[in-house]
Amino acid sequence: MKKILVLLVMMLLITGCSSKDENTLVMVTEAGFAPYEYYEGGEVVGVDIDIANEIAKELNKKLVVKDVSFDFVINEVKSGKADFGAAGMSITEERKKEVDFTTEYTTSQQVVVVRKDSNINNFEEIKNKTIAVQLGTVADSYAEKNYKNAKIVKHKKYLTAAQDVKSNKADCIIMDALPAKELVKENNDLKILDGILFEDKYGMVVKKGNDKLLKDINRVLEKLIEEGKIEEFIIKHSN
């Protein structure tokens, strides 16, 4: 009798662990990347969240947002812990080997943030400096590739990168232009250097082979792009 009870308990545990709520759509992100994803009133909001809500509505599912470190986003999708990822995710050949990307839905411009009293005036002058980046971002890989003589300091969050610059532990940050504008708005002792360092494209990610979800997300993205809704979301969360 005891053996039967043990077997029943084990079967229930296995069933409980493997079951997934079919009525929810789990999005994984890193909520320190305004205006794409950030906290407001204890809730994750932003451009990507607005887009994700449109996707969930199209699929008749409830959206669940999971906030993790940026360098964990792809693994969450690969392991099936999340249905898709959206975190200002740059489309790169390296990432394409691990996950499938949706249609690109916005272009990112990467800039350099420095202290207002910094003597750095252009991009050439950061090549031998200490550069702060967010771990796992396209800025991280760009800095590693293009600034061999610089010291690259990698942070989980842009806020700690900003603290390093403000306290003279780093000379600058390489980051996306929109979050950079939000950052300097909140930190009046920082500024953005003139010009664009480089551009890249953002897409959402799904597990390799999940063609149905990829097709569904692309359908929603294409509709939002055509209607000009994504631009509206960006303006809404940048003011």
Side-chain angles (χ1 to χ4, degrees):
M1 186 66 180
K2 286 183 179 178
K3 287 183 179 179
I4 293 171
L5 286 171
V6 170
L7 284 170
L8 284 170
V9 170
M10 288 178 66
M11 287 174 67
L12 284 169
L13 286 171
I14 291 168
T15 304
C17 290
S18 60
S19 63
K20 187 177 184 298
D21 188 348
E22 296 299 323
N23 296 316
T24 62
L25 185 70
V26 181
M27 166 190 165
V28 64
T29 190
E30 190 275 305
F33 195 62
Y36 292 96
E37 33 270 316
Y38 59 99
Y39 277 97
E40 185 175 85
E43 182 183 358
V44 183
V45 297
V47 176
D48 284 339
I49 312 304
D50 286 354
I51 296 171
N53 276 314
E54 293 295 325
I55 295 166
K57 190 190 301 180
E58 176 73 17
L59 299 179
N60 197 28
K61 294 189 177 187
K62 179 185 176 183
L63 179 68
V64 174
V65 179
K66 189 175 182 181
D67 182 18
V68 301
S69 295
F70 185 82
D71 51 324
F72 288 170
V73 171
I74 284 178
N75 282 335
E76 289 283 319
V77 173
K78 285 174 64 178
S79 66
K81 292 177 182 176
D83 296 300
F84 72 106
M89 186 75 67
S90 302
I91 302 171
T92 67
E93 293 304 315
E94 185 178 354
R95 288 172 180 163
K96 282 181 180 179
K97 294 173 185 175
E98 299 190 78
V99 287
D100 286 336
F101 272 93
T102 64
T103 299
E104 62 187 54
Y105 62 95
T106 190
T107 299
S108 159
Q109 296 180 327
Q110 299 289 315
V111 297
V112 175
V113 175
V114 298
R115 290 183 303 279
K116 273 190 177 175
D117 62 357
S118 173
N119 57 8
I120 296 172
N121 297 303
N122 57 62
F123 302 143
E124 181 66 19
E125 292 175 357
I126 72 172
K127 63 182 181 182
N128 297 312
K129 302 292 186 180
T130 300
I131 302 171
V133 295
Q134 186 180 31
L135 180 66
T137 61
V138 69
D140 181 356
S141 55
Y142 182 90
E144 289 281 3
K145 182 179 178 182
N146 292 278
Y147 296 105
K148 301 289 187 183
N149 296 322
K151 179 182 177 183
I152 313 298
V153 182
K154 306 187 182 193
H155 293 263
K156 291 283 188 181
K157 302 280 186 180
Y158 280 124
L159 289 178
T160 58
Q163 280 304 122
D164 264 13
V165 173
K166 289 166 71 172
S167 61
N168 291 306
K169 292 179 182 176
D171 297 294
C172 64
I173 313 168
I174 298 177
M175 61 185 296
D176 181 277
L178 289 176
K181 288 175 183 175
E182 296 296 320
L183 190 66
V184 299
K185 191 189 296 182
E186 298 298 323
N187 296 272
N188 58 15
D189 45 354
L190 299 177
K191 68 177 182 179
I192 302 171
L193 287 184
D194 290 337
I196 305 301
L197 186 61
F198 67 97
E199 289 187 340
D200 66 317
K201 310 288 186 182
Y202 285 168
M204 295 181 173
V205 295
V206 302
K207 188 175 182 179
K208 274 199 168 295
N210 194 348
D211 296 333
K212 184 181 184 310
L213 181 58
L214 184 66
K215 185 177 178 181
D216 287 338
I217 293 176
N218 279 339
R219 185 174 66 251
V220 176
L221 287 176
E222 285 159 12
K223 181 172 179 283
L224 292 174
I225 291 167
E226 185 179 337
E227 294 175 350
K229 289 291 185 183
I230 293 177
E231 288 182 7
E232 287 181 21
F233 295 157
I234 290 172
I235 292 167
K236 167 187 165 185
H237 290 285
S238 299
N239 292 330

